[in-house]
Amino acid sequence: MNLLLLLIVPLIAAIGIMLSPRVSAVRQISLAASLVQLMLVGWLLFQMLNSRSVSAQPLYFEQVYQWFPSWNIQFHIGVDGIAISMMILTALVVLAGVLVSWQESILPKEFFFLLMFLSLGAYGFFMARDIFTLFFFLELAVIPKFLLIGIWGSGQKQYSAMKLALMLMAGSALVFVGLTGIYLEAHSFDLTVLSATHFPVAFQYLFYPLLFVGFGIFAALFPFHTWVPDGHASAPTAASMFLAGISMKLGGYGCLRVASFLMPDAAIHYAPVIIILSTCAILYGAFVTLMQSDLKYMNAYSSVSHCGFVMLGIGVFNTTSVYGAILQMISHGLMTALFFAAIGMIYYRTHTRKIPELGGLLAKLPFISTVFVIAGLCSLGLPGLSGFVAEMTVFVGSWENKSLWVRLATILSCASIVVTAVYILRASGKVIMGPIRETFVNLSDAVWYEKMAAIFLLAGIFVMGIAPFLLQYIIGNEAAAIVKQGTQVLINK
Amino acid sequence: MLVYEWLILKQEIFLSFLIVGILLLWLFRDISNETWIRIMNIFLFINILIGFTGFHYGKLFGDTFQSSPLILFEKVLLSFALWLISLFSYDWLRKMKNLPEFYLLLLTSLLGMYIMLSASNLLLFYLGLEMSTLPLAGAANFEFNSKKSSESAMKLVLSSAFSSAILLMGISWLYGMMGSLDYAVISTQIGHSPLAVLAFLFILSGFAFKISAVPFHLWTADVYQGAPVAVTAFLSVVSKSAVIMVMIPFLYQTFEEKIDVWYPALIMLALASVLVANLFAVQQINIKRLLAFSSIAQVGFLLIGLSAHTQTGATSVLFFLIIYLFSNLAAFGVVSVFSSEYGKEEIQQLSGLYSTHPFLSWVLALSLFSLAGIPPTAGFFGKFFLLLSGANKGNYWVIAIAAINMVISLYYYLRVVKTIFMNHPVSPMENKPLAFPVRLALVICLLGILVVGFLGGFYEHIFQLLNGIN
């Protein structure tokens, strides 16, 4: 299959949305485009698995086009299991996002246009095999994010939009300096070429932090996570889903694919720092979440905590932990998107997100309440749901590291699950259970598009939770290859 | 001498005839403003086309005047920019008395730039430079009723006279040392005497004045704010581009031997420009002043790329100039519509623009994003290559400072975008339909902003043009 299709579909959809005269056409185009994307990604997965059973390759559906020959820059795309699984996540979240915003009444045309543009950036990012292209798609999201939060958001939306745009731009600036270093060292941006290059250790020590922190800002690396709560809380539902579900994963993916993959020596050298920072994020995020009374802030801080697990997995950098980090990216993407969707549905009906002002919704909103509880249970790591699989793998991976400090960090991180349980159960109890408030007596439950959105995400969560071996089959080897590449370099030295 | 050898002067000849033709027509015919503008737009377009008629190589006048595909390309770019300016200033020009004078002044300035680009002798270069600067003072004073306009013209005259004097001082010292002003002679004989270094620094500061690099920038903001938008656009895009285009062979070939002087000087100018301009731009409330400081910052980025001293460096500079042309002209085009139609030049007055003028809002927003260097606009590619080539000597700290400044600059561009899209309208503006030339100019700029960056082949074309630059 031609990978360019995945870029062309959102592009055509975006243009179609801009040209379409009616709001209903705008919605239909967006829905059709995101459905087509989901099918394309599914077909991609199917084809990859087919061709892999014949002979395993490092990269599938590879395409190379000359772009700026005098710089040796190619438009190089291709996917492996990790990229495909991230794309499935993207397709699911975007589809759910479109469905959830079905009734968007303020400037609907622009809203869906920007949403399509965001998804274009994410697909491009995951399929890029040239870090110039990757960087291009990483920054592509700045404009849509800024406008989506600033125009359609709530609360301090302008402040949040500005903060998010500037902090992410600062991350990009760090990444850019790192890319410059890589280019001047290897005279190429191509990941395939770069992975065969061994960078001098002193060089790695200098540039690894730039790249890691740069991508880390996107992935809410402590202490650069401050854009997360404001950005997520102010954004409209679909944008929150995208930000937490996909955008933060761009950072994790970049840390793994660019920083740690290319500079394994430095990854091992800086591992203690990363592990300490991610443990801080996990604990800090969990405890701050306890204090929140706004549902969106609660989920945003809990995202900081959960993304800490991703960074922990990357920091420990062994086969199991990296595999766990990828699982956690997917799991958190699905879970947090579902949570934001549920919060959005509640907010749409009750016009409040404050936990003390809500109560007894189960009686009137059984579907939404169930979704809310499932998302919460997934967040606290209930077995059978995706959160358990991912977090467990990260813990097992980091326990494999026999250093006392890493084990201590692992224990502390594990302990955060208890805190998670406290805030999730408390919030569910207050919002869902108990006597219903008088003002909420006339509420009506989810309609078809909201149900569809939730069902798509729930399907992902359940499949991953019940049959994790499927993902093991898709990404297990690739995760191992990333780490093996690193350790081989170390042995060769 | 054969006739066709003179054909390398085709653009200069055409412009001269055009200038004389305007004068004669103005004397003998009473033509309405609309017709004038229509005629001039057609002729300016023909002027672009003439650049594509061949006759690339040649030298004239005792080798003081030269032409090459590169020079021809640069001249076409400048003509193109003037055509766009003439198109988007339609509303403003229509209301002007003495309209032909405006074209006379700008065309004379353009002719000066042609000569400056083609010169291979410092004397001819100086002639071209003066010819390109002085008419602009007249043009800056074009709004006779506005005091600010006169003030801006006065400041432009004084500062450019001052910078020309410095430049001329440097040139005369060089002549005293070598007895020749030919670039070829200078490049081989300049030597390492302290006087030569001083003379070169004088010339370099003359250049820095013209492109308004910090600390030679003090005139810029006031002049930009006071002058009519069309003239500001010409000053910030065409004048600056012309001088930077001259600087490429000037530094890379003529004064190549002085690289140990100009390299640190360029880096210092660049970092000072980027930092100071950004810090000032953050506080501006007038959009023309904001664009003035932003253009100083852009010059800083250009100088970083220029310091690379490689073919890729020169290519990225020229590539960025093209992108800068589209982005800045788009921004000025929108500002021009507002200042002539509604008399609005403050950022705050653009509040809630999107609800009444969606097209103009998108053009302004995309042009600002392009200036900030955010994809999918062309500015991303331009900045990326500039900084990447500037890093080639391994001075990552320069790139790091530049990257930090990209974040700062994003702040003030985003502030404008925020005002347009997210603030509530202060006073509702009625939506007048745009005149056709204005719409054409804005659409061309928009296409340029969205498309040029992706054109790898175009980049390679420029790369080939610059073959043998160092």
Side-chain angles (χ1 to χ4, degrees), chain A residues 257-278:
Chain A
R257 248 294 136 66
V258 180
S260 294
F261 178 57
L262 295 180
M263 303 184 185
D265 298 331
I268 289 158
H269 180 75
Y270 286 111
V273 183
I274 301 170
I275 292 169
I276 289 171
L277 286 182
S278 41

Side-chain angles (χ1 to χ4, degrees), chain A residues 44-57 60-61:
Chain A
L44 200 67
L45 177 66
F46 177 73
Q47 280 203 325
M48 186 198 86
L49 293 180
N50 257 349
S51 61
R52 185 151 79 177
S53 58
V54 179
S55 67
Q57 307 161 358
Y60 299 85
F61 314 108

Side-chain angles (χ1 to χ4, degrees), chain A residues 18 67-71 73 107 110 113-114 117 132 135-137 139-140 142-143 146-147 149-151 157-158 161-162 165-166 169-170 173-174 176-177 179-181 183-185 189 203 206-207, chain B residues 312 316 319 354 362 366 369 372-376 380-381 383-385 387-389 391-392 394 396 399-400 403-404 406-407 410-411 414-415 417-418 421-423 453-457 459-460 463:
Chain A
M18 264 309 181
W67 203 1
F68 294 98
S70 55
W71 283 110
I73 291 175
L107 302 174
E110 287 80 354
F113 174 79
L114 292 173
F117 223 79
F132 175 77
F135 186 61
F136 171 81
F137 284 116
E139 281 209 34
L140 192 60
V142 174
I143 303 178
F146 177 75
L147 292 178
I149 296 178
I151 299 177
K157 54 184 180 181
Q158 299 191 356
M162 194 65 108
L166 291 178
M169 187 69 183
L174 288 175
F176 173 70
V177 180
L179 294 196
T180 325
Y183 182 79
L184 292 185
E185 195 69 23
F189 278 127
F203 173 87
L206 184 59
F207 281 93
Chain B
T312 43
S316 59
F319 190 58
Y354 187 67
W362 276 116
L366 282 172
F369 280 126
I374 302 226
F380 168 77
F381 297 91
K383 284 247 170 81
F384 195 97
F385 295 141
L387 296 185
L388 198 57
S389 42
N392 76 338
Y396 298 110
I399 303 310
I404 293 168
M406 280 179 73
V407 183
L410 183 66
Y411 169 71
L414 280 186
R415 216 161 47 107
V417 176
K418 186 200 87 176
F421 281 93
M422 302 168 197
N423 286 7
F454 293 95
L455 301 178
Y459 187 87
E460 292 311 308
F463 186 73

Side-chain angles (χ1 to χ4, degrees), chain A residues 297-357:
Chain A
Y297 270 102
M298 186 190 101
N299 194 25
Y301 274 112
S302 115
S303 287
V304 173
S305 170
H306 283 103
C307 280
F309 289 114
V310 176
M311 296 319 242
L312 180 67
I314 297 172
V316 173
F317 206 55
N318 62 38
T319 312
T320 321
S321 76
V322 166
Y323 172 56
I326 299 166
L327 285 183
Q328 173 71 355
M329 282 200 256
I330 300 167
S331 155
H332 175 252
L334 293 169
M335 176 265 287
T336 200
L338 186 66
F339 219 150
F340 273 125
I343 295 171
M345 292 174 206
I346 293 176
Y347 181 65
Y348 180 72
R349 288 169 173 75
T350 61
H351 306 290
T352 178
R353 293 190 313 237
K354 296 265 178 256
I355 298 175
E357 293 171 14

Side-chain angles (χ1 to χ4, degrees), chain A residues 85-106:
Chain A
S85 51
M86 300 310 278
M87 281 182 190
I88 296 175
L89 168 70
T90 310
L92 283 173
V93 173
V94 171
L95 180 58
V98 168
L99 284 168
V100 163
S101 351
W102 199 252
Q103 290 295 18
E104 184 61 56
S105 52
I106 311 160

Side-chain angles (χ1 to χ4, degrees), chain B residues 158-209:
Chain B
L158 287 179
S159 62
S160 65
F162 184 57
S163 68
S164 298
I166 293 177
L167 189 76
L168 204 54
M169 177 82 120
I171 293 177
S172 61
W173 280 355
L174 277 186
Y175 185 70
M177 285 163 57
M178 279 171 287
S180 168
L181 288 172
D182 273 343
Y183 290 178
V185 177
I186 293 171
S187 66
T188 49
Q189 296 185 3
I190 185 157
H192 294 284
S193 68
L195 187 63
V197 172
L198 199 60
F200 173 67
L201 279 180
F202 272 30
I203 294 176
L204 195 64
S205 32
F207 275 107
F209 249 112

Side-chain angles (χ1 to χ4, degrees), chain B residues 57-183:
Chain B
Y57 293 96
K59 290 190 172 181
L60 277 176
F61 311 127
D63 291 357
T64 54
F65 187 96
Q66 58 172 347
S67 183
S68 70
L70 173 67
I71 292 172
L72 213 56
F73 177 76
E74 293 171 342
K75 286 178 182 171
V76 168
L77 273 185
L78 299 181
S79 325
F80 181 62
L82 181 58
W83 180 60
L84 284 180
I85 291 173
S86 167
L87 283 179
F88 75 59
S89 325
Y90 181 79
D91 286 323
W92 176 73
L93 288 171
R94 222 168 28 148
K95 299 175 196 155
M96 283 295 118
K97 275 188 242 165
N98 307 327
L99 173 73
E101 265 179 21
F102 177 78
Y103 283 107
L104 275 182
L105 291 168
L106 289 197
L107 285 174
T108 316
S109 175
L110 188 66
L111 183 60
M113 286 166 196
Y114 283 0
I115 295 172
M116 191 165 89
L117 281 170
S118 275
S120 55
N121 179 299
L122 277 177
L123 189 63
L124 197 64
F125 161 75
Y126 182 72
L127 275 176
L129 187 68
E130 284 306 284
M131 195 167 162
S132 71
T133 319
L134 286 178
L136 291 180
N141 195 14
F142 210 66
E143 280 182 359
F144 304 115
N145 303 328
S146 148
K147 259 192 183 169
K148 283 223 152 158
S149 185
S150 320
E151 179 198 333
S152 125
M154 198 64 199
K155 279 186 175 155
L156 184 60
V157 165
L158 287 179
S159 62
S160 65
F162 184 57
S163 68
S164 298
I166 293 177
L167 189 76
L168 204 54
M169 177 82 120
I171 293 177
S172 61
W173 280 355
L174 277 186
Y175 185 70
M177 285 163 57
M178 279 171 287
S180 168
L181 288 172
D182 273 343
Y183 290 178

